[in-house]
Amino acid sequence: MDEKKNYHDNYLILEQISDQLNRDEISIDDLVLKTKEALKSAKICLDILNEQRGEFIKLEKEFSDLLKEGDEDA
């Protein structure tokens, strides 16, 4: 797997591996490799979600400050 840094691609990898596991399509020989791949994709997804959360917190503060400025001007 190349170093994909977007959420959607990594989520699809997790979904695919999960489906393969549910259908017993992953051999015992490939189980460790697929688990490592899933863990890598899960970490990338989690990192992206944490970055997004931080951005939303910043935006929420900026919006709150903007509303306060509007109230002071009124």
Side-chain angles (χ1 to χ4, degrees):
M1 181 176 86
D2 62 341
E3 193 76 318
K4 296 177 183 175
K5 288 293 185 184
N6 86 39
Y7 184 88
H8 181 73
D9 289 343
N10 283 284
Y11 183 83
L12 290 177
I13 290 168
L14 289 170
E15 196 171 59
Q16 177 186 19
I17 292 171
S18 176
D19 289 344
Q20 290 173 334
L21 283 169
N22 287 330
R23 292 190 305 262
D24 292 327
E25 293 177 351
I26 297 177
S27 71
I28 194 71
D29 297 321
D30 294 330
L31 187 57
V32 169
L33 178 64
K34 288 293 186 177
T35 302
K36 286 180 181 180
E37 185 178 354
L39 183 60
K40 184 176 182 179
S41 288
K43 182 180 179 337
I44 291 170
C45 286
L46 186 57
D47 289 346
I48 291 169
L49 288 173
N50 285 332
E51 287 174 22
Q52 294 295 320
R53 181 184 309 137
E55 289 298 315
F56 277 113
I57 290 169
K58 288 178 191 175
L59 290 170
E60 181 181 38
K61 182 181 179 341
E62 286 180 33
F63 189 70
S64 178
D65 291 346
L66 184 64
L67 289 175
K68 286 177 187 175
E69 288 175 15
D71 287 343
E72 291 172 0
D73 291 340

